[in-house]
């Protein structure tokens, strides 16, 4: 049976209202967040985008360990400092989600990854505690990749290899065990009892290409290990795997006893506590990128109402969302991939709405584009705060983008300050639904018919 933890935090999955931000692109690289690290491979006239590594795995492999370590250490030392955590607190946020890869703790034989990020996670925990910010530790990349996206550390779109070998899964469990032990026992459990709110066991497993039964078994196995290992009762966070709202209502709940691996028949709902479902919602990674602002606002209301219904079964948050009404930011979809919004390869031209040329040049944004973006932010702040256990914006800062950069959105007066200082949205209603706002797209837009919204992934 599961051994109950002995150190209690004042916070659990039910009593904390998240107003958070992700520390993206720091301890797990993403090319669109820090393009300078990747553009360094394309500095001479006879090179092309094909010379640019598509993810952290190939970044390290191409440079070799010594040079990759040198560049990544410089990045880790400078991209985030304690000043950022103070700024996050001053922006009205109360927690940070910190992505980290398995390779920061343990690697497969032959992995080119550079170790060392674990030390910076430790620094971040101190910075968070000093600034009264709470933390999710988020295992963002696992061996073989859980989704095939560059944000897992290894890009192989359409072919996530996490479940291709027992070694991959076992190493993931070993890494999580190390995390549970290091941060959930001994002095750390005491020091961080009210700082480390939870541990997300894997980010965005892509269930259309993964075995659901194996994922459920993994969730149960690692949940059991967390409770047996830790003396700190913190929240165990499981991502929805891109399944629809409500899919997980009866998982680890409802009086069921699970027996899909040898010892799981001992796990009943009474022994399960402090579990949180993590939903990610974007509207630009499918045909919904062509929707007008009226449809986007309606989509968010409907999505939030679905989460409200789900809360009868378990706590849930919108653990990733952004201000993006386009997928135009360079490399957002990955190095070498274009934008749906502009009808660029490899995407179907039927989603084309307009050009992407000025997406990160705010001086070229129209008044309508600014208004639509502010509305889209406000409706999400309003609805996710009302109808879920809160939200976490992706991400705090980037080198060049606007739609994905909380800090920049504040500076440009697109992100409310304070966070409830709405200009357009009152009680979930758009108070300025003029015809231009409802029909216009962003800069260089053409009128388009509304299309069915898809809950897409990033």
């Amino acid at each position: 049976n599961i051994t109950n933890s002995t150190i209690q935090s004042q916070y659990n999955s039910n009593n904390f209202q998240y107003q958070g931000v992700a520390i993206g692109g720091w301890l797990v690289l993403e090319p669109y967040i820090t393009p300078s690290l990747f553009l360094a491979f394309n500095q001479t006239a006879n090179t092309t985008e094909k010379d640019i590594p598509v993810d952290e795995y190939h970044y390290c492999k191409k440079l070799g360990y010594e040079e990759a370590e040198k560049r990544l250490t410089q990045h880790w030392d400078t991209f985030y400092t304690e000043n950022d955590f103070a700024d996050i607190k001053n922006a009205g946020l109360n927690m940070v989600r910190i992505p980290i890869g398995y390779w920061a703790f343990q690697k497969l034989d032959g992995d080119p990854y550079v170790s060392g990020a674990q030390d910076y996670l430790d620094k971040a925990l101190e910075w968070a505690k000093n600034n009264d910010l709470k933390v999710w530790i988020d295992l963002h990349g696992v061996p073989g990749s859980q989704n095939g996206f560059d944000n897992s550390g290894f890009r192989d779109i359409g072919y996530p290899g996490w479940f291709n070998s027992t070694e991959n899964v076992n190493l993931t469990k070993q890494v999580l065990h190390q995390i549970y032990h290091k941060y959930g026992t001994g002095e750390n459990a005491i020091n961080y009892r009210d700082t480390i709110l939870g541990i997300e066991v894997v980010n965005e497993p892509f269930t259309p290409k993964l075995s659901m039964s194996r994922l459920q078994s993994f969730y149960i196995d690692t949940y059991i290990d967390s409770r047996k290992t830790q003396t700190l009762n913190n929240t165990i966070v499981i991502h929805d795997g891109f399944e629809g709202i409500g899919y997980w209502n009866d998982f680890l709940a409802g009086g069921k006893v699970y027996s899909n691996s040898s010892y799981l028949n001992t796990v009943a709902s009474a022994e399960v506590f402090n579990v949180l479902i993590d939903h990610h919602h974007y509207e630009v990674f499918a045909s919904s990128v062509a929707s007008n602002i009226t449809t986007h606002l309606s989509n968010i209301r409907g999505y939030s109402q679905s989460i409200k219904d789900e809360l009868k079964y378990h706590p849930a948050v919108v653990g990733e969302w952004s201000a993006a009404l386009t997928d135009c930011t360079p490399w957002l979809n990955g190095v070498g991939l274009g934008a749906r919004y502009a009808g660029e390869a490899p995407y179907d031209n039927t989603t084309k709405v307009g050009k992407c040329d000025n997406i990160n040049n705010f001086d070229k944004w129209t008044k309508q584009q600014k208004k639509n973006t502010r509305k889209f932010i406000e409706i999400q702040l309003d609805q996710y705060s009302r109808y879920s256990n809160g939200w976490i914006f992706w991400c705090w800062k980037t080198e060049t983008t606007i739609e994905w950069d909380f800090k920049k959105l504040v500076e440009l007066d697109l992100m409310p300050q304070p966070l409830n200082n709405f200009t357009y949205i009152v009680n979930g209603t758009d108070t300025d639904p003029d015809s231009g706002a409802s029909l216009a797209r962003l800069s260089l837009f053409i009128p388009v018919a509304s299309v069915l919204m898809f809950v897409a992934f990033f």
Side-chain angles (χ1 to χ4, degrees):
N1 289 332
I2 300 172
T3 302
N4 288 335
S5 304
T6 57
I7 299 175
Q8 297 295 318
S9 168
Q10 63 178 306
Y11 305 105
N12 59 49
S13 58
N14 277 299
N15 70 5
F16 188 81
Q17 189 70 16
Y18 291 80
Q19 290 187 172
V21 70
I23 309 299
W26 185 38
L27 304 183
V28 178
L29 297 186
E30 295 193 38
Y32 89 95
I33 296 178
T34 56
S36 66
L37 292 175
F38 292 82
L39 287 170
F41 292 83
N42 192 9
Q43 295 295 309
T44 61
N46 61 351
T47 58
T48 69
E49 196 173 63
K50 292 182 180 178
D51 296 295
I52 298 175
V54 299
D55 53 35
E56 186 165 341
Y57 180 99
H58 291 94
Y59 180 93
C60 296
K61 184 176 182 179
K62 190 158 189 173
L63 288 173
Y65 193 93
E66 185 175 344
E67 181 61 24
E69 183 180 40
K70 177 182 176 181
R71 296 190 192 188
L72 284 174
T73 300
Q74 171 70 11
H75 168 66
W76 295 333
D77 281 334
T78 57
F79 192 49
Y80 274 91
T81 68
E82 186 165 1
N83 289 336
D84 290 290
F85 283 63
D87 290 343
I88 289 168
K89 181 67 176 181
N90 290 335
L93 299 163
N94 61 16
M95 62 83 63
V96 293
R97 176 178 179 238
I98 306 180
I100 196 163
Y102 75 92
W103 55 91
F105 296 88
Q106 191 173 336
K107 297 192 291 186
L108 292 169
D109 291 342
D111 270 345
Y113 291 115
V114 171
S115 303
Q118 185 179 163
D119 293 339
Y120 292 86
L121 174 60
D122 294 344
K123 289 182 180 182
L125 289 171
E126 281 297 308
W127 300 339
K129 184 176 181 181
N130 293 343
N131 289 280
D132 190 27
L133 291 168
K134 314 310 176 188
V135 175
W136 271 12
I137 298 173
D138 161 33
L139 188 59
H140 216 68
V142 299
S145 178
Q146 71 277 20
N147 51 36
F149 310 149
D150 58 13
N151 62 38
S152 71
F154 184 80
R155 188 179 106 178
D156 192 6
I157 297 172
Y159 301 96
W162 182 31
F163 288 158
N164 287 357
S165 76
T166 302
E167 182 182 20
N168 288 346
V169 179
N170 287 344
L171 180 57
T172 306
K173 292 178 180 179
Q174 290 166 20
V175 166
L176 284 166
H177 183 81
Q178 291 178 48
I179 292 172
Y180 297 149
H181 187 269
K182 179 174 181 178
Y183 301 108
T185 65
E187 290 187 4
N188 279 343
I190 297 171
N191 292 339
Y192 296 121
R193 63 189 300 172
D194 291 323
T195 299
I196 301 177
L197 290 190
I199 296 167
E200 184 156 22
V201 297
V202 61
N203 174 66
E204 295 189 343
F206 192 55
T207 57
K209 296 289 184 178
L210 294 175
S211 163
M212 179 56 75
S213 63
R214 293 194 67 183
L215 178 62
Q216 290 177 337
S217 292
F218 168 79
Y219 278 161
I220 295 169
D221 287 350
T222 195
Y223 174 81
I224 291 172
D225 188 46
S226 74
R227 296 306 181 212
K228 288 183 174 180
T229 302
Q230 297 190 118
T231 55
L232 175 64
N233 170 20
N234 57 27
T235 298
I236 300 303
V237 183
I238 64 175
H239 184 263
D240 64 18
F242 303 106
E243 298 295 334
I245 303 296
Y247 180 90
W248 298 93
N249 285 354
D250 292 328
F251 185 69
L252 294 176
K256 289 189 176 181
V257 177
Y258 294 89
S259 58
N260 52 345
S261 75
S262 58
Y263 59 88
L264 295 181
N265 56 1
T266 63
V267 183
S269 62
E271 296 179 286
V272 175
F273 52 94
N274 237 356
V275 174
L276 183 70
I277 305 296
D278 178 22
H279 299 299
H280 297 174
H281 188 81
Y282 301 109
E283 302 226 334
V284 296
F285 297 115
S287 59
S288 50
V289 72
S291 298
N292 60 43
I293 188 61
T294 301
T295 300
H296 283 304
L297 300 182
S298 177
N299 289 344
I300 298 303
R301 286 191 290 267
Y303 185 72
S304 302
Q305 285 295 318
S306 295
I307 296 178
K308 178 185 177 183
D309 294 339
E310 184 184 47
L311 295 183
K312 293 180 291 186
Y313 299 89
H314 51 67
V317 299
V318 182
E320 284 190 23
W321 62 282
S322 79
L325 289 168
T326 79
D327 64 338
C328 283
T329 287
W331 295 349
L332 178 64
N333 294 304
V335 172
L337 304 177
R340 296 166 183 82
Y341 184 85
E344 297 168 343
Y347 302 106
D348 191 328
N349 199 39
T350 58
T351 62
K352 183 175 181 178
V353 180
K355 295 181 179 180
C356 287
D357 296 353
N358 295 312
I359 192 61
N360 291 321
N361 183 355
F362 193 66
D363 290 340
K364 297 291 186 179
W365 281 32
T366 66
K367 290 182 180 179
Q368 192 65 57
Q369 182 176 1
K370 296 172 184 177
K371 180 186 286 189
N372 288 351
T373 301
R374 173 95 183 199
K375 285 183 179 182
F376 190 53
I377 291 171
E378 289 184 8
I379 192 69
Q380 291 182 91
L381 290 172
D382 177 78
Q383 296 291 288
Y384 300 160
S385 296
R386 287 172 180 269
Y387 300 123
S388 76
N389 292 83
W391 49 264
I392 305 171
F393 187 91
W394 184 278
C395 53
W396 170 246
K397 67 177 181 179
T398 69
E399 288 182 342
T400 61
T401 78
I402 295 175
E403 294 180 302
W404 301 85
D405 189 313
F406 192 104
K407 183 178 181 181
K408 206 167 276 133
L409 290 164
V410 169
E411 294 168 356
L412 297 173
D413 197 31
L414 296 175
M415 178 67 66
Q417 290 289 286
L419 290 165
N420 62 355
N421 184 27
F422 296 164
T423 301
Y424 301 107
I425 303 299
V426 176
N427 295 326
T429 300
D430 182 2
T431 60
D432 184 23
D434 56 87
S435 58
S438 63
L439 293 178
R441 287 295 297 156
L442 309 183
S443 61
L444 301 176
F445 292 178
I446 58 174
V448 294
S450 298
V451 295
L452 179 66
M453 186 274 288
F454 290 86
V455 176
F457 58 87
F458 170 60

